[in-house]
Amino acid sequence: MDILKIFTDLSDNQKVISKLNDSVDGDLGKVRQAVQLGLPLLMEALNRNTRTSQGANSLFKALEEHQEDKVGDLYSFFNNVDKEDGMKMLQHIFSDKKDLVQSNLSKTTGLKQDQISSLLSQLAPLLLGVLGNQKKEQNINAEGVSNLTNSLTKKLQQTEGDNIFSLVTKLLDSNKDGSIVDDLFNMFFKKK
């Protein structure tokens, strides 16, 4: 299953959206919007992270751990998703900007920040599972991870249009200077 099918299934499958909505005790329309923004947000952040060999190697190792994840049945996946593992993924993806990114998404969707955190902690494992499956199917090595995330991000942007990715850029642009390059640099490469 590829990222475009996942995105379509997440947006269009009422049963899955209702499942996610129940898991965060939210409003169905707001949860749908958060999903429609959350998956591209995570994809773009991962894509930016793979622009260095260190980031690509780190993601490659994570994808190896998730290449056998069963992501074909979304409802079943979300019934069994490990939110604690998802929280660790979010910390790695966003580093010390995690709360700020979640706050920005909260303000955009109208969901509470803890609801956004719970939702993203379910979407991150799904995304890593999808990417892990594709890495395995295409026999991608560490050097190819950057190409994988870049091509999938471009496909997602072409499918969803610039409006969503313009909003994703704003959500990731913590200092509101119009560029996420400095924000992502600080997010991913700040020494811990």
Side-chain angles (χ1 to χ4, degrees):
M1 179 177 280
D2 69 21
I3 192 71
L4 299 179
K5 180 158 178 31
I6 288 288
F7 191 86
T8 302
D9 286 355
L10 277 174
S11 298
D12 296 342
N13 190 321
Q14 186 65 32
K15 185 179 174 185
V16 171
I17 292 292
S18 292
K19 170 75 179 153
L20 290 170
N21 184 57
D22 291 347
S23 75
V24 301
D25 192 26
D27 171 89
L28 205 57
K30 292 176 182 179
V31 167
R32 184 182 308 276
Q33 182 186 17
V35 167
Q36 290 172 333
L37 289 170
L39 197 60
L41 179 72
L42 289 164
M43 188 71 231
E44 176 65 11
L46 283 175
N47 183 42
R48 297 290 174 139
N49 192 18
T50 63
R51 291 190 177 166
T52 68
S53 59
Q54 180 183 359
N57 285 330
S58 178
L59 182 58
F60 178 78
K61 289 175 186 170
L63 296 184
E64 285 200 318
E65 295 174 18
H66 293 277
Q67 65 187 11
E68 301 295 335
D69 289 2
K70 307 289 185 219
V71 294
D73 179 348
L74 294 177
Y75 189 82
S76 179
F77 180 87
F78 288 123
N79 267 337
N80 300 302
V81 69
D82 183 348
K83 286 186 186 180
E84 285 185 34
D85 193 35
M87 288 292 189
K88 292 175 189 173
M89 291 175 191
L90 294 178
Q91 188 62 47
H92 182 72
I93 292 168
F94 297 125
S95 188
D96 63 344
K97 303 294 187 198
K98 179 175 69 87
D99 289 341
L100 183 58
V101 170
Q102 290 177 163
S103 174
N104 288 345
L105 188 54
S106 172
K107 290 174 188 170
T108 301
T109 62
L111 290 172
K112 295 176 185 171
Q113 192 164 337
D114 64 329
Q115 292 172 310
I116 291 293
S117 179
S118 178
L119 193 60
L120 290 178
S121 75
Q122 296 175 74
L123 293 178
L126 175 65
L127 182 57
L128 262 65
V130 171
L131 293 174
N133 278 226
Q134 288 197 343
K135 180 202 83 64
K136 182 180 177 184
E137 288 169 13
Q138 298 172 18
N139 197 26
I140 294 172
N141 60 20
E143 292 79 34
V145 167
S146 181
N147 290 335
L148 174 66
T149 60
N150 192 43
S151 68
L152 292 177
T153 301
K154 284 181 180 178
K155 284 181 187 176
L156 194 55
Q157 186 171 6
Q158 289 168 353
T159 302
E160 296 309 312
D162 290 333
N163 289 342
I164 291 232
F165 273 81
S166 174
L167 193 48
V168 163
T169 299
K170 288 178 185 173
L171 291 170
L172 288 172
D173 182 16
S174 63
N175 61 5
K176 308 293 184 212
D177 66 355
S179 170
I180 61 174
V181 174
D182 54 339
D183 302 298
L184 287 165
F185 181 85
N186 290 330
M187 224 182 273
F188 295 121
F189 306 114
K190 183 177 178 185
K191 297 205 182 211
K192 295 179 184 175

